[in-house]
């Protein structure tokens, strides 16, 4: 991550765009101590030695050896890393030797560096790795599952009991067979409430015809016309 107090400062914005871009590329490739092999980044991005010299002259980076192993000066302002996710730099001995940003003392005493946070705080910038993103995703999925419980198709017996309670003309077996064949979809949407679907099914013409044929006709029906057996 990058702090606005760093990349929004006039000292940063006055640099050539190529130097600013190199700074971003170095930050993206740096380890948890803000150390990066600048030569590899420059080779893959097309940045020049002059771009790196500008960053050094402005105090944004420190080149630690002839192989252009580089430390990002404002790393602790750009990033906050939880203690359990911190991984020491492979070049920590160079950091100790050059006493950069208090890391020498941290390495010798075993204390956290400025950029390593022992407790997560909502108002800090946290660099999110894949494991953190995965955790957030799983938490959201679990929350969604609690809000919308997984649909379970009813049994014929459950539908029969519900139909009996409502005095409905819906045929339980016909209802279950119909939606089983459709994959328990309502249109193209997965069913969420089978009882609501059962109530809607009460208006289907198929149940009305079945109900009419099963009903015993009275003399009043005969007077209106029609056949007892129609």
């Amino acid at each position: 991550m990058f702090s606005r107090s760093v990349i929004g400062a006039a000292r940063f914005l006055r640099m050539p765009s190529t130097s600013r871009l190199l700074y971003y590329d170095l930050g993206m490739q740096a380890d948890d101590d803000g150390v990066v092999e600048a030569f590899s980044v420059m080779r893959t991005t097309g940045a020049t030695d002059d771009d790196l010299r500008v960053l050094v002259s402005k105090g944004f980076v420190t080149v630690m050896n002839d192989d252009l192993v580089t430390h990002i000066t404002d790393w602790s302002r750009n990033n906050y890393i939880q203690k359990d996710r911190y991984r020491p730099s492979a070049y920590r001995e160079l950091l100790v030797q050059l006493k950069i940003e208090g890391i020498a003392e941290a390495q010798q005493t075993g204390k956290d560096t400025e950029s390593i946070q022992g407790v997560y705080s909502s108002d800090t910038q946290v660099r999110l790795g894949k494991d953190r993103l995965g955790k957030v995703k799983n938490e959201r999925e679990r929350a969604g599952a609690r809000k919308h419980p997984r649909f379970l198709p009813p049994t014929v017996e459950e539908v029969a009991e519900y139909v009996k309670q409502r005095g409905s003309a819906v045929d339980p077996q016909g209802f279950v067979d119909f939606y089983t064949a459709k994959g328990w979809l309502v249109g193209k949407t997965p069913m969420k409430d089978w009882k609501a679907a059962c109530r809607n099914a009460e208006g289907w013409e198929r149940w009305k015809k079945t109900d009419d044929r099963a009903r015993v006709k009275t003399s009043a029906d005969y007077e209106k016309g029609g056949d007892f057996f129609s």
Side-chain angles (χ1 to χ4, degrees), residues 170 175 179 186 193-204 207:
V170 173
F175 176 83
Y179 277 112
V186 180
D193 185 347
W194 68 264
K195 290 183 178 180
C198 189
R199 292 192 296 272
N200 290 334
E202 292 173 0
W204 293 357
W207 316 129

Side-chain angles (χ1 to χ4, degrees), residues 1-187:
M1 295 182 66
F2 301 93
S3 172
R4 290 184 178 181
S5 64
V6 176
I7 63 174
R11 181 169 62 98
F12 183 86
L13 296 174
R14 287 195 180 103
M15 293 191 301
S17 59
T18 52
S19 295
R20 298 200 303 269
L21 180 58
L22 176 58
Y23 183 78
Y24 293 131
D25 289 330
L26 292 174
M28 294 301 295
Q29 297 298 325
D31 62 25
D32 287 354
D33 282 319
V35 179
V36 58
E37 295 182 358
F39 179 80
S40 300
V41 175
M42 293 163 62
R43 177 62 63 90
T44 57
T45 62
T48 66
D49 292 344
D50 287 339
D51 295 326
L52 183 61
R53 290 192 185 96
V54 172
L55 292 177
V56 172
S57 67
K58 294 294 185 179
F60 287 103
V61 301
T62 300
V63 176
M64 300 193 294
N65 63 13
D66 293 338
D67 292 329
L68 301 186
V69 175
T70 300
H71 177 257
I72 299 174
T73 306
D74 295 306
W75 181 255
S76 61
R77 293 173 62 186
N78 288 337
N79 296 272
Y80 287 85
I81 305 173
Q82 293 185 47
K83 184 177 180 180
D84 62 339
R85 302 183 187 282
Y86 168 71
R87 297 293 180 270
S89 171
Y91 296 99
R92 57 186 178 277
E93 293 181 0
L94 279 176
L95 293 172
V96 172
Q97 291 172 10
L98 297 177
K99 298 182 180 180
I100 294 176
E101 290 294 311
I103 295 179
E105 179 183 358
Q107 292 290 345
Q108 292 170 353
T109 62
K111 295 180 180 178
D112 295 340
T113 63
E114 183 180 355
S115 63
I116 304 169
Q117 303 301 306
V119 180
Y120 173 77
S121 175
S122 60
D123 61 350
T124 60
Q125 294 172 309
V126 180
R127 192 172 75 172
L128 297 178
K130 290 183 179 179
D131 51 348
R132 175 63 183 168
L133 291 174
K135 182 178 179 181
V136 171
K137 180 180 179 182
N138 291 337
E139 289 174 351
R140 288 176 177 173
E141 289 177 348
R142 287 196 293 269
R146 289 193 295 270
K147 186 176 180 181
H148 302 291
R150 185 168 65 90
F151 173 77
L152 294 176
T155 64
V156 175
E157 290 75 15
E158 289 174 327
V159 177
E161 180 64 25
Y162 186 66
V163 167
K164 181 179 179 181
Q165 292 175 3
R166 290 184 55 81
S168 171
V170 173
D171 173 35
Q173 185 66 60
F175 176 83
V176 172
D177 289 346
F178 176 78
Y179 277 112
T180 298
K182 289 176 60 67
W184 290 95
L185 297 176
V186 180

Side-chain angles (χ1 to χ4, degrees), residues 180-219:
T180 298
K182 289 176 60 67
W184 290 95
L185 297 176
V186 180
K188 295 183 179 180
T189 305
M191 183 180 293
K192 296 180 180 179
D193 185 347
W194 68 264
K195 290 183 178 180
C198 189
R199 292 192 296 272
N200 290 334
E202 292 173 0
W204 293 357
E205 192 66 25
R206 65 172 66 185
W207 316 129
K208 292 181 178 180
K209 290 181 178 179
T210 301
D211 189 49
D212 288 341
R213 286 195 299 266
R215 185 171 61 87
V216 177
K217 293 188 177 182
T218 65
S219 57

